[in-house]
């Protein structure tokens, strides 16, 4: 348990260093997904804290704010939430960590995505699974010594394509999931169907097994 706490506190520290300067969209999304992941671990899939984050994303995305104001709102709220999470972890107010499978806690969104689907939390599963897809693509690029640090998922895919690391049917499937990723990260919940989230989960299991099993 102590090791898990240390990993979470380390990840929280990394998230607190994210700045709104530069690419505000990417910064807001990175902070939101990171906070969502930790909140799922600390409070559980059906917690009001997790529901708050999802509802917040929904309300801001559908608001009449200017785009810059939306990104700022989606940056400030998770930043406040991540500080509360830090206090919860330090104070041992941890409810669901025992259920987490060992391994790389913060890159393995798949575990939590499956739990979300089992709890009929389709929206949470969509965000986590899409985050897992993007994270896996960037990890694959890193293994191949390709720098995609500040690139959007579509740019990462094109880079991997140009290096012939992904191609053929697999490339087409991955490209098709960019639409799901964009819908999930912009809170377009009514446009996301449960079957496509389950499809991505199944695809990712094979993709991760193929590229990261050694």
């Amino acid at each position: 348990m102590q090791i898990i706490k240390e990993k979470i506190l380390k990840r929280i520290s990394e998230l607190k260093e994210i700045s709104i300067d530069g690419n505000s969209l990417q910064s807001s999304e990175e902070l939101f997904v990171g906070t969502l992941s930790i909140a799922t671990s600390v409070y559980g899939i059906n917690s009001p804290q997790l529901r708050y984050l999802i509802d917040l994303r929904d309300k801001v995305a559908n608001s009449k704010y200017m785009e810059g104001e939306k990104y700022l709102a989606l940056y400030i709220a998770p930043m406040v939430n991540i500080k509360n999470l830090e206090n919860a972890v330090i104070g041992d107010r941890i409810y669901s960590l025992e259920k987490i499978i060992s391994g790389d806690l913060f890159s393995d969104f798949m575990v939590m995505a499956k739990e979300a689907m089992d709890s009929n939390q389709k929206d949470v599963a969509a965000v986590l699974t899409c985050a897992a897809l993007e994270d896996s693509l960037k990890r694959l690029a890193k293994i191949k010594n390709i720098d995609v640090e500040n690139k959007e998922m579509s740019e990462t895919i094109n880079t991997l394509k140009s290096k012939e690391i992904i191609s053929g049917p697999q490339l087409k499937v991955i490209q098709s999931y960019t639409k799901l990723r964009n819908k999930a990260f912009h809170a377009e919940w009514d446009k996301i169907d449960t079957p496509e989230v389950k499809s991505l989960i199944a695809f990712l299991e094979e993709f991760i097994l193929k590229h990261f099993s050694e």
Side-chain angles (χ1 to χ4, degrees), residues 64-82:
K64 296 181 180 180
Y65 295 147
M66 299 290 288
E67 288 302 303
E69 293 174 330
K70 289 184 180 181
Y71 301 148
L72 181 60
L74 291 174
Y75 173 84
I76 293 175
M79 187 61 76
V80 172
N81 197 277
I82 204 70

Side-chain angles (χ1 to χ4, degrees), residues 36-53:
L36 189 74
S37 173
I38 298 175
T40 304
S41 302
V42 174
Y43 296 122
I45 290 293
N46 296 311
S47 66
Q49 292 90 344
L50 191 67
R51 189 69 257 171
Y52 165 78
L53 286 171

Side-chain angles (χ1 to χ4, degrees), residues 66-110:
M66 299 290 288
E67 288 302 303
E69 293 174 330
K70 289 184 180 181
Y71 301 148
L72 181 60
L74 291 174
Y75 173 84
I76 293 175
M79 187 61 76
V80 172
N81 197 277
I82 204 70
K83 291 178 181 178
N84 292 334
L85 282 166
E86 183 176 37
N87 291 332
V89 175
I90 292 174
D92 286 326
R93 299 191 300 274
I94 303 172
Y95 309 124
S96 63
L97 291 182
E98 294 84 354
K99 298 179 181 178
I100 297 175
I101 295 176
S102 61
D104 189 342
L105 180 64
F106 302 107
S107 65
D108 194 2
F109 292 101
M110 294 298 294

Side-chain angles (χ1 to χ4, degrees), residues 18-69:
I18 294 176
S19 172
I20 195 66
D21 296 333
N23 190 332
S24 57
L25 172 59
Q26 183 172 330
S27 297
S28 297
E29 290 185 345
E30 182 181 355
L31 181 60
F32 175 78
V33 172
T35 305
L36 189 74
S37 173
I38 298 175
T40 304
S41 302
V42 174
Y43 296 122
I45 290 293
N46 296 311
S47 66
Q49 292 90 344
L50 191 67
R51 189 69 257 171
Y52 165 78
L53 286 171
I54 296 297
D55 288 344
L56 172 69
R57 183 73 188 222
D58 197 2
K59 290 177 182 177
V60 173
N62 293 313
S63 71
K64 296 181 180 180
Y65 295 147
M66 299 290 288
E67 288 302 303
E69 293 174 330

Side-chain angles (χ1 to χ4, degrees), residues 16 162 208:
K16 288 168 66 177
S162 67
I208 292 172

Side-chain angles (χ1 to χ4, degrees), residues 191-210:
K191 297 181 181 179
I192 297 176
D193 297 322
T194 297
E196 64 179 333
V197 179
K198 290 183 176 180
S199 173
L200 177 53
I201 290 175
F203 169 80
L204 265 176
E205 288 180 324
E206 294 184 8
F207 182 80
I208 292 172
L209 182 63
K210 176 179 179 179

